[in-house]
Amino acid sequence: MTSAPDRDSSDEPAPPKNGVSAAAQWQAIGRFIVAEARLQEAVVAHGRVAAAIYEFVRFGLKQGWACLFGGLLLALMLGTRLVWPEHAPIARYDALFLAAVMLQVLLLRLRMETWSEARVILVFHVIGTAMEIHKTAIGSWVYPEANLFRLGGVPLFTGFMYAAVGSYLARVWRLFDFRFKRHPSLRLLAPLSVAIYVNFLTDHLGYDLRVPLLLIAAAAFAPAIVYFKIWRQHRAMPLLLGLLLVALFIWFAENLGTLSGTWLYPSQRHHWSMVPVAKLSSWFLLMIVSYTLVARVNGIASWPAATPMTAPPRLPAARWTHLGLAIAVIGLGLLLRVPTWHLPLPVHHYGGGILWGAMVFLLVAALRPARWGLRGCVIAAAIGAALIETSRLIHTAALDAFRSAMAGQLLLGNIFSVWNFGAYAAGIGAAALLAVSLHRDRRRAALPA
């Protein structure tokens, strides 16, 4: 995470909508703006260490405020699990549903939530409930307790769990005054989100497109940078990293939710165990759907591009050159599999990994969006290679059947190994150096890095 360079007032990003502080959009915290301004003056007077501590605390408080709806809902799940009487006149799930509705009304009545956030929550409620009905019908997970307010096998409060994700994104967007550089087009994200949602509904048929969808999402978001304002200046981080961190914390919350017994996966019916790490891929994809909806509502504010002081490394514009090199690398990889050569196992295994990493980079360089350069291609290739390697931890009948075929062995492989990451990195680095060296006059490169 880095700080954005200080600029004069003419270069500062535009303020939030209506020209007001983000905090002023919520009456519950807007009243503290003047008091906090006095506190900030005192903090600045105490030096850099005090300012850093204050900014860290401020970041945590902002994140807590953004998580308000989801945090309260999770607290209700855990609390009712601990104290709900077995023979209570109302079922726990019904109590959670009524509490979630009352919580929503209370947040709006006290102006701790805006009506625009409530509309986002409603959309996510509908989308989430529809998916829950389908997933419980095919046995992906169950809600083991009986209740009255239920649609199919799904208690109605479950839609609020998905709504909490939308609520968080809508609130954090405004609280941190998000600005973006190299953001993927919503015209790309919209069909990608539809494809992700459809895949959630059809993956049980044996045609799970999760891996290619992950690769497309990673490639789309890899070049993007998000600028977020904690206090006095915007700071920057890769947008893809931010989405992955949010998916990770949703996975943490899911573990707490299953620990409370509110819903259970088949592996948890007899005794609780952690939600499989492979579920992170599902939450990341769900994040893309959520993010796209919120982005369409809030809009994408651009961060002014800074003029680089020195010319960065560049890529040659000839995509056919990259594609030809990729085909050549594929040929070398196939030659490594000739059994009569009797190559040593390390050469066969890690040599193939190096060539595979080089192939991924060259294919990305050949098929990249027009604005991508060296850095974007390296990042996308590294993420793609890492996702493919990690996908070997996921086992389904359809995936294992595909991996048993030659095409599956070449594209996905069978055995996960952390050492493969080093081989991929070496191949990506070698291919990147080759691509740059083939460009005789770097100053005429068509694309910036």
Side-chain angles (χ1 to χ4, degrees), residues 39 183 294:
L39 174 62
H183 192 281
V294 175

Side-chain angles (χ1 to χ4, degrees), residues 291-306:
Y291 180 89
T292 302
L293 287 171
V294 175
R296 186 165 289 277
V297 172
N298 286 354
I300 307 298
S302 298
W303 180 264

Side-chain angles (χ1 to χ4, degrees), residues 209-255:
L209 301 178
R210 185 173 315 187
V211 172
L213 289 172
L214 284 169
L215 291 175
I216 295 171
F221 282 98
I225 301 295
V226 58
Y227 293 84
F228 56 99
K229 191 172 185 179
I230 303 174
W231 182 17
R232 294 180 294 180
Q233 63 183 356
H234 280 77
R235 300 188 178 276
M237 72 180 297
L239 179 56
L240 182 60
L241 175 60
L243 294 174
L244 289 171
L245 288 174
V246 174
L248 177 63
F249 278 92
I250 295 175
W251 180 75
F252 289 154
E254 185 181 30
N255 276 282

Side-chain angles (χ1 to χ4, degrees), residues 193-212:
S193 299
V194 172
I196 290 171
Y197 190 75
V198 170
N199 189 66
F200 275 132
L201 300 179
T202 60
D203 57 2
H204 67 288
L205 300 176
Y207 302 99
D208 190 352
L209 301 178
R210 185 173 315 187
V211 172

Side-chain angles (χ1 to χ4, degrees), residues 11-24:
D11 289 331
E12 276 295 316
K17 293 178 181 179
N18 303 324
V20 298
S21 165

Side-chain angles (χ1 to χ4, degrees), residues 46 64 71 75 157 187 215 222 228 248 292-293 315 322 332 391 407 412 420 437-438 443:
H46 282 79
F157 80 89
R187 284 179 288 185
L215 291 175
F228 56 99
L248 177 63
T292 302
L293 287 171
L315 275 175
H322 297 139
L332 289 175
S391 73
L412 300 181
N420 288 341
S437 66
L438 288 175
R443 288 174 298 180

